[in-house]
């Protein structure tokens, strides 16, 4: 068997259980947690040697939920409220090579598993590569950021209804996630007054509503599993043997 | 035909004509120049819309010259002088998914072509994706950089022999390239006293020698083309139609 061109080195386990609610960029939600177990054929006890000295890593991921059959040359970034930009001027998942690039904080490595925070990836995402973040290569704080620097996403205030019974430990994560407006500005049904949204985070399903600049968490309960993280969504060639 | 998982959006034309002399990280050689023409099936007149407002871009590339058949879990970064680190703690091309990640300065876009500087990629490299560099996502100047922060590559002083006849316009590029020690510290023949090295840059072949911390350019002449950039090295599946 010939070696496949690209291989998943592991499948990410993430607190974000569906696309809705997964942050649109890394580090927006520092309380986000994820784990990456390196597949044993990549000899994690050797291939991870020295990585724990780095504070951050790059995750190169395969956008397995981006199932567009046709190439779209332009995209609608939510914060541009309907305006389009070229796909190569965006970080949209819908690209000729659907590879995600995001930085994550490396909390620790235990054996074959990386413990990460600040991630912006959904549960079940195949990871193609991990690289150390090296500021002298990667950090250009004064780079000019075009439309992304002008169009700031509005922040919402997050409150918990007295009866919502949200466990205290989950509040920072929920607060950080819902301080972004998760609604798609092009989807009128999501913007309708009184609309109640459902969000799956860690093992919970939340119900919440948005009024003006306020997100209000109404209730929390156990989540019913969905199909997003099923292995069937991951192309077999990425799981080939080396 | 099913759409391939990943596609080259273009093939980079670079001033670096072979692996030897290609910088080991981006931005070390600001005078490095490269051009990327986006393939017409990716509708550059639309897919590049808005990109020219960004000062820098990420290039995700396929390491087409990394032809290792077997997975190697550890690598020898040249500046660690023989010590090894895990492949995932390095930016080595030899990885399960041989995808390069490097930032480049976007000088301008003309039609379907990006003009780049500061690149660290060899001529003929297939580019899988271009993404805008967004400092609020990507710039973490205070991240901790492990071994890469401690092991600084030594700088060499570059001089031109009086008879070397190097065109003035090429001097900044040559100076920046040769101020790195390009020799592999594990290759004794490269380190031998009196060894003369050949380097192809843009259309030229240079001869130079290293003595102590001094690089001395001896002569420059027209380059004889080599095989590195031949399309046959690029996997057909990356050049599939969309």
């Amino acid at each position: 068997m010939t070696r496949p061109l690209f291989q998943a080195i592991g499948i990410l386990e993430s607190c974000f259980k569906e696309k809705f609610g997964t942050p649109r960029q890394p580090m927006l939600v520092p309380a986000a947690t994820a784990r990456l177990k390196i597949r044993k054929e990549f000899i994690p006890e050797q291939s991870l040697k020295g990585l724990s000295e780095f504070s951050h890593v790059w995750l190169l991921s395969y956008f397995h939920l981006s199932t567009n059959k046709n190439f779209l040359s332009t995209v609608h970034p939510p914060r541009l409220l309907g305006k389009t930009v070229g796909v190569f001027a965006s970080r949209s998942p819908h690209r000729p090579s659907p590879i995600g690039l995001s930085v994550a904080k490396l909390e620790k490595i235990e054996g074959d598993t990386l413990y990460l925070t600040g991630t912006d990836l959904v549960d079940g995402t195949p990871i193609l590569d991990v690289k150390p973040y090296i500021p002298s290569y990667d950090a250009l704080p004064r780079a000019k950021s075009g439309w992304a620097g002008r169009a700031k996403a509005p922040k919402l205030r997050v409150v918990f209804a007295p009866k919502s019974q949200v466990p205290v430990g989950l509040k920072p994560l929920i607060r950080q996630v819902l301080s972004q407006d998760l609604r798609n500005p092009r989807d009128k049904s999501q913007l309708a007054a009184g609309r109640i949204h459902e969000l799956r985070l860690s093992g919970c399903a939340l119900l919440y509503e948005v009024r003006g600049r306020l997100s209000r968490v109404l209730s929390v309960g156990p989540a019913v599993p969905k199909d997003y993280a099923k292995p069937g969504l991951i192309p077999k060639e990425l799981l080939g043997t080396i």
Side-chain angles (χ1 to χ4, degrees), chain A:
Chain A
M1 185 182 167
T2 56
R3 185 175 153 186
L5 277 194
F6 303 102
Q7 293 169 92
I9 60 169
I11 306 296
L12 197 76
E13 289 175 68
S14 162
C15 64
F16 303 113
K17 302 300 177 187
E18 55 186 331
K19 274 201 273 191
F20 186 75
T22 301
R24 295 188 181 116
Q25 62 180 73
M27 300 300 172
L28 273 183
V29 178
T33 55
R35 288 195 302 184
L36 177 66
K37 184 182 161 91
I38 303 295
R39 291 164 61 194
K40 67 176 186 307
E41 50 267 61
F42 300 114
I43 318 173
E45 63 277 19
Q46 293 177 18
S47 57
L48 295 175
K49 183 184 154 191
L51 185 60
S52 63
E53 283 187 62
F54 292 82
S55 60
H56 294 77
V57 293
W58 289 111
L59 299 175
L60 272 63
S61 58
Y62 175 70
F63 285 125
H64 69 304
L65 299 186
S66 171
T67 50
N68 278 33
K69 288 281 177 287
N70 301 311
F71 172 66
L72 296 172
S73 56
T74 57
V75 297
H76 293 85
R79 44 183 161 139
L80 282 184
L81 306 171
K83 285 189 195 161
T84 64
V85 296
V87 65
F88 298 126
S90 84
R91 300 286 278 254
S92 161
H94 308 292
R95 2 190 20 102
S97 297
I99 303 173
L101 172 66
S102 52
V103 79
K105 187 157 188 282
L106 178 61
E107 297 291 343
K108 62 175 176 179
I109 298 178
E110 278 183 5
D112 57 5
T113 302
L114 283 68
Y115 289 81
L116 304 160
T117 57
T119 42
D120 63 345
L121 296 166
V122 73
D123 196 47
T125 297
I127 302 300
L128 301 171
D129 200 6
V130 165
K131 297 181 194 286
Y133 186 98
I134 302 180
S136 61
Y137 299 18
D138 300 320
L140 300 172
R142 288 189 286 183
K144 225 178 88 191
S145 51
W147 65 262
R150 289 193 303 275
K152 293 285 178 206
K155 284 272 177 186
L156 304 180
R157 195 158 72 86
V158 181
V159 296
F160 296 89
K163 289 185 183 166
S164 66
Q165 295 184 308
V166 174
V168 173
L170 260 185
K171 282 190 174 179
L173 177 63
I174 294 173
R175 221 180 267 284
Q176 292 166 16
V177 169
L178 293 188
S179 71
Q180 319 299 316
D181 193 344
L182 307 175
R183 300 170 302 172
N184 180 347
R186 298 171 66 222
D187 179 341
K188 292 225 170 83
S189 76
Q190 286 193 6
L191 300 177
R195 166 75 188 259
I196 291 175
H197 305 276
E198 197 194 334
L199 177 65
R200 295 198 320 144
L201 268 183
S202 293
C204 295
L206 298 178
L207 296 181
Y208 78 100
E209 58 180 1
V210 180
R211 293 184 186 205
R213 294 264 167 128
L214 194 75
S215 274
R216 190 177 151 86
V217 179
L218 304 171
S219 71
V220 64
V224 178
K226 288 191 185 175
D227 288 340
Y228 283 118
K230 281 197 177 161
L233 283 170
I234 298 171
K236 283 202 186 71
E237 60 198 275
L238 294 182
L239 298 173
T241 50
I242 55 174

